[in-house]
Amino acid sequence: MTTTTHIQETLQHVYEKYKDVRDGEVATYIPELAKAKPDDFGISLATVDGQVFSVGDWRQEFTIQSVCTPFAFLMALEEFGRDAVLEKVCVEPSGDAFNSIELEPRTMRPFNPMINAGAIAIASMIKKSSRDAGVRAYVKKMQMAAGRTLNLDHAVLASETATGNRNRAIAYLMLNYGIIDAAVDHALHQYFSQCSLLVNCQDLAMMAATLANKGIHPVNQEQVFGLEYVKDVLAVMFTCGLYDYAGEWACRVGLPAKSGVGGGILAVVNRQLGIAVYSPRLDAKGNSVRGIAVCKDLALQLGLHAFEFTNVGSSFMEWLSAAK
Ligand code: DON
């Protein structure tokens, strides 16, 4: 059996194993998200040498939601540098829900850029003088990371704009403490637009593989992100990417990752590959139920945990090329 067949079969096997799981609920607090088909299920894996494997509903588009936050954080780091960004947002796990309104009590900064508060602070930094220009710059970067043209879901954007009062409250609290500037609506428009980007599973796997590949797109070799800050982002994904499940995730899966309430989740195996799962039924913490199950399973089967000892001296990519 060739390696590519083996990987495809591994994905197929994991897909079959979890395809009948019906636990969890589709997010409804943004009314438009309730329209997702709860049973959709796709998995993609992209290697840093440009091979892509996918199963199930991987072509189904969904909104990226919080999975945008590592990329927005990276854009802010590239534009303003580490010190200026850390003046506005900490890089500490919050241990709290993604929509927590709490700020770090000493400096009143949001705990990290992966929860809503931090993501809004970052959106406020990367917004441009016009609303469209800031959104365009973000979409352009995400298209480069995905390697294809992407669009916003304007219905989801309108739905969150109409109902996102908790995020509005978080933003005004941050205005009060000087974390964001007075253009609160503008910052929220940037954030809601970022969350409304339509992607499929393969896009997320490619974005994750771009992070794994030192910021270089694995297929077209374009330098999407500068190398300097990718490690900051992976570190924060590792410690904060799964909200109040981040610690258990680090133990059980052991990979930098990010989830979103649209049902997407991506994980990065540094220098090796990107993994993405789409399944919109969420657990109580807002993470995709089957997304977590698949990542746990693949990490175990392929020895992907960052601190794995059973594969000492080898790696998934070495195994991949040795088996060619
Ligand atoms: O701000 C919100 O609530 C959503 N636009 C995104 C939240 C999200 O994806 C958190 N994830 N699990």
Side-chain angles (χ1 to χ4, degrees), residues 203-234:
D203 297 326
L204 290 190
M206 207 52 96
M207 290 172 182
T210 297
L211 293 179
N213 195 34
K214 300 181 244 172
I216 301 166
H217 190 279
V219 175
N220 63 28
Q221 299 300 317
E222 211 172 342
Q223 185 86 52
V224 182
F225 301 108
L227 179 57
E228 190 175 357
Y229 298 114
V230 173
K231 65 176 186 289
D232 300 53
V233 173
L234 292 177

Side-chain angles (χ1 to χ4, degrees), residues 29-30 65-66 98 116 160 167 191 195 243 260-261 286:
Y29 76 97
I30 300 171
Q65 299 301 335
S66 274
F98 68 83
N116 292 11
E160 187 162 14
N167 282 329
Y191 171 65
C195 292
Y243 316 111
V261 293

